[in-house]
Amino acid sequence: MSPQIEILLVAIIVSIACALPGVFLILRRMALMSDAISHSVLLGIVVGFFIIGQVDSPILLIFAAGTGVATVSLVELLHRTQLVKEDAAIGIVFPALFSIGVILVTRYANNVHLDQDVVLLGEIALAPFDRVTILGLSLPRGLVVMTLILVTNLSCIVIFYKELKISTFDAGLATALGFSPVFIHYGLMSLVSITAVGAFHAVGAVLVVALMIVPPATAYLLTNRLSIMLAISSLVGTISAIMGYFVAAKMDASVAGSMASMTGICFLLTFLIAPKRGILAIIYRRFRQKWEFSQTLLLIHLVNHEGKENEAEECNVNRINQHLSWNQTFTQNVILYAEKKGSIQIEEQILRLTNRGREIADQAFAR
Amino acid sequence: MSMNQSSSAIEVTDLTVAYQEKPVLWDIDMNVPPGVLMAIVGPNGAGKTTLIKAILGLVRSASGQMLIYGKPYRQQRRIVSYVPQRGSVDWDFPTTVKDVVMMGRYGALGWLRRPGQQEKKLASEAMEKVGILNLADRQISQLSGGQQQRVFLARALTQDAQVYLMDEPFQGVDATTERAIVLLLQQFREEGKTVVVVHHDLQTVSDYFDWVTLLNVRRIASGPVNTIFNESNLRQTYGGRIGFLKTEQEMSNPQVLPEPTL
């Protein structure tokens, strides 16, 4: 494999590994927790490094996962005192842990791979230089680690799909039925922590959050099914990784930065043009509703005066705007709209209902 | 059946629940005989929801014992069905009506086993019964309040339980749905099942239910509607905020008056 392909592969695998648990963070309204975890795991890594003396031991993952879970527990503990709101609790706990980590890194562990820039921003371009040999194959360490994490995330989600779904949707019922939402909760937090650590080297603590949160947030706008949301999130992650890589190569900029920006662009595009929940779709729907409503109002006015002696006056094409207190142009447009929809006809300057028009008015009344 | 060795479907003794040392329920005793349709009635903050949650072990009790057919809930999960408040879940969750209804079977499936054909069939039958089969593939965010409540009922139906605990199933539903729910609950009773419903509308207590528990942090009274659902008990439950229509059915038509303005 050429180094370029290796970097690209690492980028894609990191993106998918992050997007999968991110789906559940979004649905559990815990997006901010990924921010907290991805920062505080630094402390776990540093402490683990002191104890083990190696920066690339898999045991570091366990330390980091422990710190992640500890972060979540501390936040919950603080929140449960009812003296601090949850968002404030998050804002208190993770900077505390993170800052201790930063001090330890700069004071004791500098120049041993745990460089502060790498910690914050990651350096995926370095991935091909750090290699391991597995079954006689020389592979980038990052690729191996992230593949293992991706497989772990995927299998946990597949195996506990039903449990994750019910405890996310209805924790009360899940408990009553004998499942343990607490177990699921901490299990998920452990996955998020491990993923954050794994992704650390590649994209750094700050951008992990983008990869975890933005693709699922994008997918949320596009589907009504949990399984499809997981699939779309992974796809958005993959697309962002590929585009991010090439943009970075072209601009000679940070790969991680480009990847994260691409997730943002994917989200922005989806936010604008998603078929049902996008902004444009919503504006179009409101616009149509306004015309539909005005048409219905006009039709009901016609129904009320149909066959009455004042029909010629009340339903006159040129004077109906005075009766409805509408402006002239708007009235003309509503009449055109209704004519196009086949709900009215104009006979000798008088607006008359068609059968279709009567149906629409009836439906409006029936509601 | 061994289940009927105990004379009560639900037996609560000396139950106290406190949040942060503030009592929500004080020393509650309650016996619900099998096969009754019971309302739990009381003002806001009376602990109605907490009582149900305590029976299900969803909130920690400071004291007391809660038994379902003589055994703790933990051993009776399969015969108890819980219908939480409609507002307690996120209706924007990316899932379908059919999927939510099928969750009722998750308890019987246990950990790891996945719902299959059998569960789909049971879910379809339940949806048919509450009249939402045509909504099976609908995303749940597109449902009206009444339809959401029917989804919860269908989910409870798939559990095929002996004891049903329902938290405000009539809240915010249309008249047709309310009627449909009442018929379903009465059918449960005819099948010998026990149904406990947190209820808000005093007007309909006598029409819908045959058993009632009046609650306001303490248990005021618990028993058959025709003996304990009377003015003096209601006055104790609601304090001064209760008025009565002085008609021939005065006892069956109490009304809660709005809070006095300060």
Side-chain angles (χ1 to χ4, degrees):
Chain A
M1 276 193 288
S2 76
Q4 282 76 17
I5 297 206
E6 284 176 351
I7 294 172
L8 193 55
L9 266 181
V10 174
I12 291 173
I13 290 173
V14 167
S15 299
I16 301 177
C18 288
L20 291 174
V23 166
F24 293 96
L25 289 176
I26 289 263
L27 293 176
R28 295 165 156 260
R29 300 171 192 206
M30 294 181 67
L32 267 184
M33 207 57 107
S34 67
D35 203 9
I37 290 176
S38 66
H39 280 81
S40 59
V41 287
L42 173 64
L43 180 60
I45 294 177
V46 180
V47 172
F49 171 68
F50 285 152
I51 295 171
I52 308 161
Q54 277 178 292
V55 78
D56 41 21
S57 160
I59 303 170
L60 271 189
L61 284 181
I62 298 170
F63 275 96
T67 332
V69 172
T71 309
V72 177
S73 315
L74 280 174
V75 168
E76 281 165 5
L77 215 64
L78 203 55
H79 179 218
R80 218 172 296 150
T81 60
Q82 297 194 353
L83 299 172
V84 182
K85 299 269 182 267
E86 193 183 12
D87 55 342
I90 292 177
I92 290 166
V93 170
F94 92 77
L97 299 178
F98 182 62
S99 56
I100 299 172
V102 169
I103 292 173
L104 292 179
V105 167
T106 49
R107 180 69 187 82
Y108 300 107
N110 223 346
N111 305 322
V112 270
H113 239 80
L114 270 181
D115 168 72
Q116 39 190 327
D117 290 341
V118 172
V119 159
L120 287 176
L121 299 172
E123 201 32 275
I124 204 168
L126 298 178
F129 297 111
D130 184 8
R131 306 187 79 85
V132 284
T133 307
I134 290 173
L135 302 171
L137 232 76
S138 167
L139 295 166
R141 183 186 302 276
L143 187 62
V144 175
V145 172
M146 279 321 292
T147 306
L148 287 178
I149 291 175
L150 172 60
V151 169
T152 310
N153 285 352
L154 196 61
S155 1
C156 286
I157 290 174
V158 169
I159 292 169
F160 294 106
Y161 188 68
K162 165 172 126 269
E163 288 75 12
L164 272 164
K165 184 155 73 176
I166 192 171
S167 50
T168 301
F169 175 65
D170 192 342
L173 182 76
T175 313
L177 290 178
F179 297 103
S180 170
V182 176
F183 171 77
I184 293 287
H185 176 69
Y186 283 106
L188 182 63
M189 291 307 120
S190 307
L191 287 187
V192 171
S193 308
I194 293 172
T195 311
V197 186
F200 226 91
H201 291 290
V203 294
V206 182
L207 298 178
V208 173
V209 183
L211 296 185
M212 279 197 184
I213 300 308
V214 188
T218 309
Y220 186 75
L221 297 174
L222 290 170
T223 179
N224 291 331
R225 303 282 190 282
L226 180 54
S227 49
I228 300 177
M229 188 174 165
L230 287 160
I232 297 181
S233 298
S234 309
L235 188 67
V236 172
T238 308
I239 293 172
S240 307
I242 295 171
M243 291 194 340
Y245 174 80
F246 285 110
V247 168
K250 188 105 190 147
M251 294 171 58
D252 193 19
S254 147
V255 178
S258 315
M259 282 166 67
S261 326
M262 287 307 146
T263 62
I265 288 174
C266 285
F267 176 80
L268 191 63
L269 282 177
T270 312
F271 182 71
L272 289 174
I273 61 174
K276 277 183 196 147
R277 300 188 194 156
I279 282 290
L280 292 179
I282 291 171
I283 291 174
Y284 172 72
R285 206 155 49 228
R286 293 229 177 101
F287 182 75
R288 246 199 58 189
Q289 273 167 358
K290 183 183 144 198
W291 289 106
E292 283 288 318
F293 173 76
S294 307
Q295 175 192 233
T296 312
L297 200 158
L298 179 72
L299 295 175
I300 286 173
H301 180 78
L302 297 183
V303 168
N304 283 342
H305 295 283
E306 197 174 30
K308 305 273 169 60
E309 68 255 30
N310 60 3
E311 185 178 6
E313 168 61 26
E314 288 275 349
C315 304
N316 185 290
V317 171
N318 299 315
R319 285 194 294 276
I320 192 163
N321 66 316
Q322 293 160 21
H323 295 288
L324 297 172
S325 309
W326 281 355
N327 98 33
Q328 183 84 41
T329 342
F330 179 70
T331 315
Q332 293 300 329
N333 287 334
V334 175
I335 291 172
L336 278 175
Y337 182 85
E339 259 190 311
K340 212 172 76 194
K341 295 273 164 182
S343 61
I344 57 168
Q345 283 168 348
I346 302 177
E347 290 167 17
E348 297 165 8
Q349 299 293 299
I350 293 171
L351 297 173
R352 296 207 190 272
L353 289 157
T354 61
N355 286 336
R356 175 87 194 103
R358 246 172 237 116
E359 266 172 40
I360 296 173
D362 278 351
Q363 278 168 12
F365 275 134
R367 225 176 280 158
Chain B
M1 266 197 296
S2 61
M3 224 156 52
N4 290 330
Q5 277 168 359
S6 165
S7 60
S8 297
I10 303 171
E11 189 181 357
V12 175
T13 40
D14 306 323
L15 169 67
T16 295
V17 178
Y19 294 135
Q20 316 276 330
E21 265 75 64
K22 197 172 154 251
V24 188
L25 291 172
W26 256 145
D27 201 42
I28 303 293
D29 290 309
M30 183 179 82
N31 268 305
V32 187
V36 301
L37 182 44
M38 183 181 96
I40 301 178
V41 173
N44 289 334
K48 304 185 291 290
T49 296
T50 307
L51 176 55
I52 284 196
K53 286 190 171 171
I55 296 170
L56 293 162
L58 298 180
V59 295
R60 196 174 303 177
S61 51
S63 74
Q65 196 176 35
M66 291 77 70
L67 300 175
I68 311 267
Y69 281 106
K71 291 180 190 156
Y73 171 72
R74 209 175 273 276
Q75 297 168 33
Q76 300 284 42
R77 286 189 210 279
R78 289 295 92 78
I79 64 158
V80 180
S81 171
Y82 167 49
V83 180
Q85 269 178 38
R86 194 158 54 80
S88 68
V89 304
D90 174 14
W91 290 95
D92 286 327
F93 193 85
T95 192
T96 56
V97 167
K98 183 169 62 190
D99 228 32
V100 174
V101 173
M102 228 149 23
M103 286 180 190
R105 297 305 303 163
Y106 283 14
L109 286 168
W111 286 86
L112 304 187
R113 266 171 62 206
R114 282 154 181 279
Q117 286 308 314
Q118 171 72 7
E119 281 67 37
K120 283 197 180 125
K121 199 173 134 255
L122 286 166
S124 294
E125 284 168 12
M127 288 188 284
E128 169 108 67
K129 204 162 180 184
V130 299
I132 53 167
L133 192 53
N134 57 331
L135 304 177
D137 292 314
R138 186 91 52 100
Q139 145 74 8
I140 55 172
S141 66
Q142 297 162 11
L143 304 175
S144 70
Q147 288 167 338
Q148 290 177 351
Q149 197 61 60
R150 284 168 192 245
V151 171
F152 267 13
L153 279 179
R155 186 172 75 175
L157 270 175
T158 63
Q159 289 182 255
D160 191 28
Q162 287 299 311
V163 176
Y164 288 82
L165 300 172
M166 304 188 174
D167 202 345
E168 301 207 24
F170 300 111
Q171 198 259 318
V173 306
D174 52 287
T176 331
T177 302
E178 176 151 343
R179 199 67 221 140
I181 297 175
V182 171
L183 288 174
L184 189 70
L185 299 188
Q186 289 171 346
Q187 193 187 330
F188 282 160
R189 177 179 54 194
E190 275 151 35
E191 291 165 5
K193 298 174 174 182
T194 311
V195 185
V196 174
V197 175
V198 170
H199 193 56
H200 252 307
D201 182 8
L202 294 180
Q203 302 273 6
T204 51
V205 169
S206 311
D207 292 339
Y208 295 172
F209 302 95
D210 51 13
W211 210 264
V212 67
T213 291
L214 297 170
L215 192 72
N216 189 356
V217 185
R218 293 178 309 121
R219 191 213 68 188
I220 310 298
S222 184
V225 170
N226 52 23
T227 60
I228 71 140
F229 195 64
N230 55 40
E231 182 174 347
S232 110
N233 281 336
L234 280 165
R235 229 176 249 296
Q236 270 195 66
T237 313
Y238 286 87
R241 284 178 291 130
I242 194 115
F244 290 89
L245 302 174
K246 293 292 178 195
T247 63
E248 67 272 28
Q249 339 137 285
E250 60 176 65
M251 286 312 133
S252 64
N253 274 332
Q255 273 189 319
V256 176
L257 297 178
E259 299 261 17
T261 44
L262 296 170

